[in-house]
Amino acid sequence: MKRTTLTVAFAAACSFSLVPAVAQSASADSPATRQASFQSASAHSSLVGSAQSQSAALVKAVGLSADNAFKIKDVLKDTDGSTHVRVDRTFKGIPVVGGDLVIHRDASGKVTGHDGMFDGAITVDTAPAIPKATGEAKGLAAAKAHKKSEGLDAAKGAGSTLVIRVDEAGKQQLAYMVKTTGMQKDRTPSRVRSFINADTGAVISSFDEIAHATGNGIYDKNVTLTTSGSSGSYKLSNPNTGNYTTDSNNQKINGTTMTDADNVWGDGSNSNRQSAGVDAQYGADTTFDYYKSVMGRNGIWNNGNGARSRVHYDNNYVNAFWDGTQMTYGDGDRNANPLTELDVAGHEMSHGVTENTAGLDYSGDAGGLNEATSDIFGTGVEWYANLASDKPDFLLGEEIDINGDGTPLRYMDKPSKDGASYDCYSSSVGSADPHYSSGPLNHWYFLASNGSGAKTINGVSYNSSTCDSSSVTGAGRADIEKVWYRTLSTKLTSTSNYKAAREGAIKSAVELYGGSSQVCKSVESAFNAINVPKGTAACSTSTTPTPTPTPTPTPTPTPGTNAVTNGDFEAGQTGWTGTDGPITNNAGEAAHGGSWKMWLGGNGSTSTEYEQQSVKVPASGKLTYYVHVDTAETTRSTKYDTAKVQVINGTTTSTVSTFSNLDAASGYVAKTVDLSAFAGKTVTLKFTASEDSVSQTSFVFDDVVVK
């Protein structure tokens, strides 16, 4: 298993199926200094409290009258001291649904701009023409009508609030926001939100706020857990994250926290009730760690709090869902296949992150963006874990065979392969079910990460075409996920559409990586490729001139300089192409210098990984690099896992260095290779590693230099 610690405990898992401002220029190039800084729970609380005390000044700063007020929902702080204040808006004490904003301030507290779909004056009469009781009755009827096709068999009103509803187009309506609870035929809880025009009684919109999943199977094994308690009485509760897992005992109850005497949980079988609990806990903790380590977010609510996961919920329950406070997993058909696979946790708990950042509605364009966000970060969690028993990919539901023919539920490279999702954006996309209107953003994510065309990533073949027949160069999955998280957390609001997503993502790429970066260009070209219309945000069109006016793709390096682009890997994937994932700053293996390195292998399963780039070899023709090999293989005689350093000159491949599990050592070893035979030629420098199906071997390379 790569980049994770092994333990003797087994985990059970299954996979899943989902059913149906102020204008700001983003063209300036800027260094990558605008990423979010991690805030402790107390520091975050202090930021929110301080912003709330200044809310009246914020109202004035964005040009609104004193009839308006802001309630501070969240504050994110960047490493340069700037902040992004997310606010909900009221007018004469009435909530303005769709009027939420993100207000941006520099380090001195000065407002520099804001994002949101509606920031104008309220013009509707705030006195309703129909009584509240009538609005609630119509809302209950709307909920039943909305859920009819999905089999709502019980419903009751849960209250209503008089609001001003502003839709994506800016249309204002005084409305009753009616909340209705119920139960679907498959016993999934339902929480429908309906908007009823308070003057006419007409239904404005109605959508379910609980997204759910279905599937079967037990797959993942050998994961590490942090538990609480002591010998003889351990609890499946992580004191570091606050996440804990309960056994609902096949009833619709919260159940009790799972316990164990020896702290070895589960045996990988469905007959052992702990097995499902292990995967649920691992999924919750891994999702928490992903957001904390990768995005700088302190849990779902950004306050350090964890969540409960309920396993063995109800009887023969073929579903899993996030309800705003906790994860719930059924045991599947005949209670034989708990729905506790890692994708489920990553996807569903990311709905919680969306709810507590942009708050995207589950309808229209916003619904598709909401669902795709969970797909994107669910995929990110899977890659972050990088389990050998559930190898990460860009497919969803690939292990459960929900279609009965071995095909996955969703394809991020070409969403339409599922038979219902959209590949390309159009103005009609928002009328589709969010699971299908999510397709264009999923397509964007794959293109921006990996580029267009045919390719094999982690053993899976993809072929992603574009909607405008363009060619897209990928910038790497990890960087694109960071761009999308910043977009979600600092740019989007509840009614954001695909056009706002494009604007926000390009701005975010500029802030994180600079306007002339490959990341920004990949983000922009991928939105072009899915037909999202251009707005005002754009990457820089300027390019850095080459040292000499040579027509060759790789200029002759200046004597004494490194001919290898990004040989220390501190710029991530820049300059390198190959398998997704090996170039990383993951702390599981130390770098020789800095924090980034090329980490090949380490999977403990049959796999081949590589990274390469074109290099023009100077006259001296010397390759130097550092390599570290560690392995779980115990043999002292057999080369089960191997790595090679190769030089490809035209059709000829020369292997200049070889390594195996027998070369394992405690630290890095310096290597020098004579390349004088290739002097003056542009060759491909390739690092590749292959593992067998048993124990892992990691081949870590760093500080690659050709002079």
Side-chain angles (χ1 to χ4, degrees):
M1 179 171 64
K2 190 175 185 178
R3 303 167 179 84
T4 50
T5 305
L6 299 178
T7 187
V8 296
F10 292 93
C14 89
S15 45
F16 73 109
S17 156
L18 299 181
V19 298
V22 173
Q24 301 178 64
S25 172
S27 62
D29 196 4
S30 58
T33 58
R34 297 290 308 278
Q35 64 267 26
S37 64
F38 178 81
Q39 301 292 315
S40 67
S42 60
H44 177 258
S45 179
S46 178
L47 285 172
V48 172
S50 176
Q52 189 62 61
S53 69
Q54 303 164 20
S55 60
L58 294 175
V59 169
K60 185 178 181 180
V62 299
L64 297 176
S65 72
D67 286 328
N68 295 270
F70 289 155
K71 178 178 176 55
I72 308 303
K73 183 178 178 180
D74 196 12
V75 180
L76 296 182
K77 186 176 182 179
D78 288 346
T79 52
D80 66 353
S82 57
T83 55
H84 311 274
V85 185
R86 185 173 295 277
V87 303
D88 289 329
R89 176 183 174 185
T90 62
F91 178 76
K92 296 183 178 179
I94 301 173
V96 182
V97 180
D100 49 317
L101 302 170
V102 182
I103 301 169
H104 310 291
R105 304 185 296 180
D106 63 19
S108 70
K110 179 182 178 181
V111 173
T112 58
H114 63 272
D115 286 289
M117 296 299 290
F118 177 77
D119 61 358
I122 300 298
T123 58
V124 299
D125 188 343
T126 57
I130 64 173
K132 182 176 182 180
T134 302
E136 290 183 351
K138 289 182 175 291
L140 180 59
K144 290 180 176 179
H146 172 78
K147 300 303 295 183
K148 185 177 181 181
S149 63
E150 297 184 28
L152 187 72
D153 65 359
K156 61 180 180 179
S160 66
T161 305
L162 184 66
V163 303
I164 298 167
R165 172 64 170 169
V166 185
D167 65 17
E168 180 183 309
K171 182 180 180 180
Q172 304 176 29
Q173 297 179 76
L174 189 68
Y176 291 106
M177 182 175 69
V178 183
K179 294 187 177 181
T180 307
T181 63
M183 193 72 68
Q184 298 177 33
K185 289 290 188 183
D186 68 353
R187 303 183 304 284
T188 299
S190 177
R191 188 173 67 226
V192 177
R193 183 156 44 127
S194 303
F195 293 92
I196 307 300
N197 189 295
D199 295 320
T200 67
V203 178
I204 299 172
S205 64
S206 188
F207 57 91
D208 200 331
E209 295 180 311
I210 294 182
H212 58 273
T214 63
N216 55 53
I218 295 177
Y219 305 106
D220 298 339
K221 305 184 184 297
N222 298 326
V223 297
T224 296
L225 299 173
T226 298
T227 58
S228 60
S230 57
S231 181
S233 183
Y234 293 97
K235 293 182 178 181
L236 201 52
S237 174
N238 187 338
N240 299 326
T241 64
N243 294 321
Y244 66 104
T245 301
T246 63
D247 186 345
S248 294
N249 199 32
N250 297 110
Q251 302 177 61
K252 290 182 285 188
I253 60 175
N254 289 333
T256 57
T257 303
M258 302 187 88
T259 60
D260 186 78
D262 62 3
N263 213 25
V264 178
W265 300 80
D267 62 7
S269 70
N270 183 45
S271 60
N272 186 314
R273 297 184 69 83
Q274 290 184 353
S275 295
V278 169
D279 266 352
Q281 184 72 20
Y282 178 75
D285 283 347
T286 303
T287 302
F288 188 104
D289 290 344
Y290 168 79
Y291 280 107
K292 183 176 182 178
S293 301
V294 179
M295 305 303 178
R297 184 176 185 84
N298 197 4
I300 290 175
W301 297 276
N302 204 26
N303 60 2
N305 291 341
R308 173 170 54 211
S309 296
R310 299 186 292 181
V311 297
H312 305 301
Y313 177 82
D314 206 353
N315 196 40
N316 300 317
Y317 182 61
V318 193
N319 246 324
F321 60 90
W322 169 261
D323 67 4
T325 62
Q326 63 187 350
M327 273 298 301
T328 299
Y329 301 93
D331 281 340
D333 189 32
R334 299 182 301 279
N335 292 334
N337 300 294
L339 280 83
T340 49
E341 199 261 342
L342 186 59
D343 275 351
V344 179
H347 175 105
E348 297 295 340
M349 297 179 79
S350 290
H351 278 304
V353 173
T354 296
E355 181 180 353
N356 289 279
T357 52
L360 291 163
D361 287 349
Y362 209 65
S363 63
D365 275 14
L369 298 176
N370 188 323
E371 190 64 20
T373 294
S374 282
D375 286 346
I376 290 168
F377 293 136
T379 299
V381 169
E382 185 177 80
W383 278 96
Y384 178 76
N386 207 11
L387 295 176
S389 53
D390 186 10
K391 295 178 66 175
D393 49 41
F394 295 93
L395 307 171
L396 297 174
E398 72 277 2
E399 297 189 24
I400 62 174
D401 194 22
I402 196 69
N403 299 316
D405 57 4
T407 60
L409 178 66
R410 295 190 195 170
Y411 306 79
M412 302 188 92
D413 63 325
K414 190 173 179 62
S416 63
K417 289 174 68 175
D418 67 9
S421 293
Y422 292 80
D423 290 334
C424 310
Y425 175 75
S426 71
S427 58
S428 63
V429 163
S431 62
D433 183 285
H435 297 94
Y436 307 135
S437 59
S438 61
L441 190 66
N442 281 337
H443 192 193
W444 166 84
Y445 165 65
F446 184 90
L447 289 168
S449 298
N450 306 299
S452 56
K455 52 182 55 69
T456 299
I457 304 172
N458 214 21
V460 179
S461 297
Y462 305 92
N463 193 354
S464 189
S465 59
T466 59
C467 306
D468 63 350
S469 300
S470 64
S471 178
V472 177
T473 299
R477 172 195 54 77
D479 288 341
I480 299 304
E481 288 167 14
K482 290 178 181 178
V483 168
W484 187 246
Y485 174 74
R486 185 170 182 86
T487 305
L488 180 78
S489 59
T490 70
K491 304 293 187 294
L492 302 185
T493 54
S494 59
T495 57
S496 290
N497 55 20
Y498 268 91
K499 295 177 183 178
R502 174 188 173 115
E503 289 287 289
I506 294 174
K507 291 177 182 178
S508 295
V510 171
E511 293 167 358
L512 290 176
Y513 300 103
S516 63
S517 66
Q518 182 59 58
V519 174
C520 190
K521 294 174 182 177
S522 296
V523 166
E524 185 175 30
S525 61
F527 273 114
N528 291 338
I530 64 168
N531 287 344
V532 177
K534 294 181 179 180
T536 60
C539 302
S540 174
T541 57
S542 62
T543 58
T544 302
T546 57
T548 57
T550 175
T552 58
T554 306
T556 301
T558 303
T561 65
N562 189 5
V564 176
T565 300
N566 186 32
D568 60 4
F569 306 105
E570 296 303 312
Q573 198 67 34
T574 301
W576 298 89
T577 60
T579 312
D580 187 85
I583 296 178
T584 178
N585 63 348
N586 189 295
E589 288 284 353
H592 177 258
S595 57
W596 289 75
K597 61 275 177 180
M598 180 198 301
W599 182 354
L600 299 172
N603 298 297
S605 60
T606 303
S607 61
T608 297
E609 298 179 335
Y610 76 96
E611 295 290 343
Q612 64 184 34
Q613 70 167 269
S614 294
V615 176
K616 188 163 187 177
V617 182
S620 57
K622 182 184 292 184
L623 164 67
T624 61
Y625 60 90
Y626 289 84
V627 59
H628 167 57
V629 181
D630 77 57
T631 186
E633 302 282 5
T634 58
T635 180
R636 297 181 181 272
S637 59
T638 306
K639 298 180 179 180
Y640 291 116
D641 309 314
T642 59
K644 299 176 181 179
V645 182
Q646 299 176 319
V647 177
I648 304 173
N649 181 25
T651 60
T652 303
T653 299
S654 302
T655 299
V656 297
S657 302
T658 59
F659 306 94
S660 74
N661 49 280
L662 302 182
D663 296 304
S666 60
Y668 279 88
V669 178
K671 297 291 183 180
T672 301
V673 179
D674 183 7
L675 298 183
S676 59
F678 306 101
K681 297 180 179 179
T682 298
V683 300
T684 297
L685 180 63
K686 182 176 182 179
F687 295 78
T688 183
S690 297
E691 291 182 279
D692 68 1
S693 61
V694 186
S695 299
Q696 74 88 24
T697 301
S698 295
F699 301 93
V700 190
F701 297 89
D702 203 356
D703 295 328
V704 180
V705 176
V706 174
K707 289 185 179 181

